[in-house]
Amino acid sequence: MAERKPAPDKKANRRGAARLAAVQALYQMDIAGAGLNDIFAEFESHWLGGEVEGDKYLPAEAAFFRDVVAGVVRDQSKLDPLIDEALPKGWPLKRIDAILRAVLRAGSWELEHRKDVPARVVVSEYVDVAHAFVDGEETGMINAVLDQIARQFRGDEFSRA
């Protein structure tokens, strides 16, 4: 994957970094059972805009990161059935890899709750996040599922030219 060199001070880039960090935090919570406050403390002190294992992370919009992570945790019992319904039959969410579950949950939550961000941008951003972890086939599934959920929550955005 080609490395993008965006200006680190632009709001969109800080949001993209926040989305990536949110997915990583949700994954860690899913796998390790870490609590919300512990995750916030760890990510805000070590990950957001820092360097981890030699990789420099873009400065992230901390408030956006917190909003997405806390929102997913709060609404997970509503999000999971919604995602299950959008997934191909025979592939319930519990069978999906943990990192992809985190991407789908974060993207679905943002589609429902962050109307300030256009639906197509949300879908595209989370497909980009998925690319950081998996190959094409899985990112295609992320795109299809989030597109379907976007049309449920924001059909009006897709009916316009």
Side-chain angles (χ1 to χ4, degrees):
M1 182 167 113
E3 185 178 336
R4 291 184 284 173
K5 300 241 185 229
D9 58 351
K10 289 190 176 180
K11 184 175 186 175
N13 296 329
R14 290 195 322 268
R15 285 229 172 138
R19 287 181 181 102
L20 179 63
V23 166
Q24 290 171 316
L26 292 166
Y27 170 79
Q28 191 168 327
M29 291 175 78
D30 194 9
I31 295 300
L36 191 59
N37 290 333
D38 292 338
I39 286 291
F40 283 161
E42 177 182 342
F43 273 75
E44 289 175 3
S45 66
H46 298 350
W47 289 78
L48 302 184
E51 190 171 313
V52 177
E53 297 173 2
D55 292 329
K56 177 73 176 144
Y57 287 80
L58 282 175
E61 188 177 321
F64 192 81
F65 164 79
R66 282 179 163 262
D67 194 34
V68 172
V69 175
V72 169
V73 169
R74 182 187 63 239
D75 295 341
Q76 187 173 327
S77 64
K78 291 186 332 191
L79 293 170
D80 286 0
L82 178 76
I83 297 166
D84 261 336
E85 191 63 34
L87 283 165
K89 299 300 174 221
W91 283 97
L93 187 59
K94 65 184 176 203
R95 283 188 64 188
I96 302 294
D97 186 69
I99 195 69
L100 297 178
R101 282 196 305 264
V103 171
L104 289 169
R105 286 170 176 155
S108 298
W109 183 87
E110 192 172 334
L111 285 165
E112 182 177 8
H113 294 281
R114 295 301 303 243
K115 306 279 197 241
D116 58 315
V117 182
R120 285 182 173 95
V121 170
V122 173
V123 173
S124 175
E125 286 283 319
Y126 282 102
V127 168
D128 285 350
V129 167
H131 272 294
F133 302 105
V134 297
D135 293 327
E137 190 174 312
E138 290 96 344
T139 58
M141 182 270 298
I142 295 289
N143 186 59
V145 170
L146 290 180
D147 184 72
Q148 184 177 336
I149 291 169
R151 290 170 189 275
Q152 286 179 25
F153 286 130
R154 306 205 206 165
D156 60 316
E157 287 184 43
F158 292 90
S159 60
R160 289 185 242 141

